[in-house]
Amino acid sequence: MNLVFLGPPGAGKGTVAKKVTERFFLVHISTGDLFREAIRNENPLGLQIKSVLAAGKLVTDAITIEMVRQRLAKKDTKSGFILDGFPRTIAQGEALLEMVPIDHVVNFVLDESTIVKRLSGRRICKSTGKTYHILYNPPLVDGIDDETGEELIQREDDREEAILQRIAVYEKETAPLIEFFKERALLRVVDAQKTPQEVFQQTAELTGLV
Ligand code: AP5
């Protein structure tokens, strides 16, 4: 099954994608994770996009579409995948539908004040990418990753100015994809305000995974 997770920043797409891929053996492809990996590796792409991510803006369609095209060409995607954070513009949506068939687009719906609370409280383990929240999903020891013992960090784009920029970019560039996918009868809507387990259950039911 080929799925797209659509929704504003901080809606819980990554959290639920992790649960769905573990349970149903799909491949999780997060464009944000791929970009952050390039930045960590300091390769040419990483150096080019570092300031774009930090400012909460979008990487160009040309770069993003080509990166996804190469990732989807790998064999491990043949038994199904979740695209998390792609597409984010109409041009990316059109390119995607020419690349591969998509079964469902799950739209995570969440209000703006909750988005800000979730993103400003998010902490991550730099080496594993494991995500916590200081209130909703805290680590066992304050500020320390449960598994590696490393200090948790805040993503550079989870600071207030970048959060507001990301929400504005979402409204202008990404929200039009809701109508785009609705017109193609691919849109399924989940209430992302609920707990991660409830959102996981809604997603599994709406997509026919259970
Ligand atoms: P990306 O990494 O995709 O960021 P995003 O879409 O802004 O999404 P997030 O990862 O911030 O949020 P999420 O919905 O996954 O929430 P999470 O599960 O972590 O992209 C980063 C950047 O890369 C972009 O700004 C752009 O520059 C670039 N980029 C990426 N894709 C691109 C594209 N296609 N085109 C161009 N540029 C692109 O949850 C958030 C927090 O809430 C966590 O702390 C979590 O623990 C908590 N939480 C989650 N669910 C719940 C719940 N149900 N209840 C309570 N707390 C919860």
Side-chain angles (χ1 to χ4, degrees):
M1 181 173 294
N2 299 340
L3 302 178
V4 167
F5 281 7
L6 186 70
K13 303 180 297 294
T15 300
V16 175
K18 193 165 186 308
K19 283 178 181 285
V20 174
T21 48
E22 281 170 6
R23 169 87 185 272
F24 300 106
F25 308 106
L26 302 175
V27 176
H28 179 195
I29 303 172
S30 155
T31 40
D33 285 349
L34 293 173
F35 287 139
R36 281 185 289 278
E37 192 186 331
I39 292 171
R40 262 198 312 279
N41 295 339
E42 297 185 331
N43 63 27
L45 171 65
L47 295 173
Q48 193 182 342
I49 63 173
K50 190 169 192 271
S51 60
V52 176
L53 264 80
K57 298 189 173 150
L58 291 186
V59 177
T60 65
D61 284 339
I63 290 177
T64 309
I65 290 168
E66 186 49 32
M67 181 179 75
V68 171
R69 192 187 305 284
Q70 287 180 19
R71 182 63 190 88
L72 289 176
K74 294 191 177 165
K75 269 199 196 137
D76 64 347
T77 61
K78 301 302 169 224
S79 50
F81 57 80
I82 298 175
L83 273 171
D84 163 11
F86 182 93
R88 256 179 157 94
T89 63
I90 295 286
Q92 292 180 14
E94 287 168 344
L96 175 64
L97 295 183
E98 284 174 13
M99 280 183 228
V100 278
I102 296 297
D103 297 297
H104 307 277
V105 175
V106 182
N107 185 30
F108 287 61
V109 177
L110 193 67
D111 67 62
E112 188 172 322
S113 70
T114 312
I115 293 173
V116 175
K117 278 186 213 144
R118 285 194 187 171
L119 291 178
S120 51
R122 175 165 59 184
R123 299 291 181 273
I124 57 167
C125 173
K126 198 173 178 186
S127 60
T128 65
K130 186 167 176 191
T131 300
Y132 298 86
H133 191 283
I134 52 174
L135 301 177
Y136 312 136
N137 178 26
L140 297 172
V141 178
D142 202 21
I144 302 293
D145 181 58
D146 294 346
E147 286 150 24
T148 64
E150 285 171 47
E151 208 169 315
L152 299 176
I153 59 157
Q154 187 172 34
R155 262 170 53 176
E156 215 175 328
D157 60 349
D158 279 348
R159 298 177 199 278
E160 195 180 341
E161 202 182 323
I163 291 175
L164 297 177
Q165 171 70 22
R166 287 159 68 201
I167 294 172
V169 169
Y170 166 79
E171 290 297 343
K172 181 161 182 273
E173 303 285 349
T174 309
L177 282 167
I178 295 172
E179 202 52 41
F180 176 87
F181 285 120
K182 199 191 274 181
E183 283 167 4
R184 287 156 182 81
L186 289 171
L187 198 77
R188 322 284 172 248
V189 181
V190 295
D191 177 2
Q193 204 82 34
K194 307 261 190 212
T195 66
Q197 184 54 35
E198 286 169 316
V199 184
F200 163 80
Q201 190 61 33
Q202 284 180 55
T203 303
E205 285 170 11
L206 282 169
T207 56
L209 282 165
V210 292

